[in-house]
Amino acid sequence: MIRVKEAIVVEGRYDKAKLAGLVDGLIVETGGFGIFRDREKLRYLRELAKTRGLIVLTDSDGAGFLIRHKLASSIPPEQLKHAYIPDVPGKERRKAAPSKEGKLGVEGMDLATLRKALEGAGATLEDGSAPQRSGASLTKGDLMELGLAGGPDSARRRRELQKALGLPERLSANELLRAVGTLVTREQFLEALHNMEKERP
């Protein structure tokens, strides 16, 4: 178990139950898309963000990113940390069929993957420390220089690279910058890009 200072926001009760096996701390569920109309819950999350900080940990599918974007547009960025889970094909045991996109959500991830996501996002642990991210971070300028932002083919190249790295396919350029250090190191990122370029005809 790890003790986390920030409140962690997940989509639903099964995600919360899974995370409770790893985290000793406050875990709040959005009720899925309920966050779009629940002003009281949003006000509560804003207050938590102000007093202790929030970590957003949603599924890597379209619904998860819509909820993530809603929170990111409602809460100051300095009060918000983003934890990402990888795209993993499959279905949760309790479900009869896989989700629409066929990916495991937070509840389907193993605890080691969830811990890595939280640590990579910079969760503040009980002793007041935040894990150091490995390697120097990337900038938007780096992405532009590498042809992964601002160019006519950059979105496709980004998706290719994200797939090679096992990152969620729905990451924007800015989200990709946040994910480097959460799910992969800068070194892994650059190595995968180099390999991708080598394989081009």
Side-chain angles (χ1 to χ4, degrees):
M1 291 285 279
I2 55 173
R3 296 193 76 181
V4 176
K5 171 187 169 274
E6 295 89 353
I8 303 170
V9 187
V10 296
E11 292 179 51
R13 69 177 187 267
Y14 292 104
D15 301 330
K16 183 177 180 177
K18 181 62 176 263
L19 203 54
L22 170 69
V23 172
D24 177 7
L26 181 59
I27 305 166
V28 182
E29 54 187 276
T30 66
F33 286 138
I35 195 65
F36 286 87
R37 58 186 180 280
D38 191 340
R39 290 182 181 170
E40 194 175 310
K41 175 71 66 75
L42 201 50
R43 199 161 35 243
Y44 174 58
L45 291 174
R46 283 191 184 114
E47 194 54 40
L48 285 175
K50 197 186 304 179
T51 56
R52 61 193 291 172
L54 280 186
I55 298 174
V56 181
L57 179 61
T58 58
D59 295 351
S60 63
D61 61 5
F65 272 84
L66 278 174
I67 292 165
R68 184 183 292 277
H69 293 155
K70 171 65 176 174
L71 293 170
S73 68
S74 305
I75 293 167
E78 65 275 10
Q79 298 171 2
L80 207 56
K81 294 176 180 178
H82 291 271
Y84 298 97
I85 58 169
D87 280 343
V88 177
K91 76 170 190 67
E92 281 80 13
R93 272 187 240 159
R94 70 177 178 86
K95 295 180 178 174
S99 68
K100 186 177 174 184
E101 295 182 28
K103 300 173 187 174
L104 290 177
V106 169
E107 72 169 286
M109 291 290 131
D110 60 68
L111 295 180
T113 299
L114 293 175
R115 180 177 182 141
K116 182 181 175 189
L118 291 172
E119 289 178 344
T124 308
L125 303 183
E126 181 183 28
D127 62 4
S129 68
Q132 294 299 308
R133 298 177 190 218
S134 51
S137 60
L138 290 169
T139 66
K140 194 73 171 278
D142 292 331
L143 291 188
M144 292 178 85
E145 195 175 307
L146 295 167
L148 297 168
D153 203 28
S154 55
R156 182 192 59 76
R157 295 184 77 241
R158 243 187 357 260
R159 280 193 304 274
E160 258 182 58
L161 180 62
Q162 287 163 196
K163 186 173 183 180
L165 287 165
L167 294 172
E169 64 182 330
R170 294 180 175 274
L171 295 176
S172 67
N174 287 333
E175 288 166 335
L176 177 59
L177 291 175
R178 287 196 299 255
V180 174
T182 301
L183 293 172
V184 297
T185 64
R186 176 189 169 97
E187 292 69 31
Q188 289 169 323
F189 176 90
L190 293 173
E191 184 183 348
L193 180 61
H194 176 70
N195 291 338
M196 189 175 89
E197 296 299 341
K198 271 197 331 194
E199 288 169 13
R200 287 193 183 285

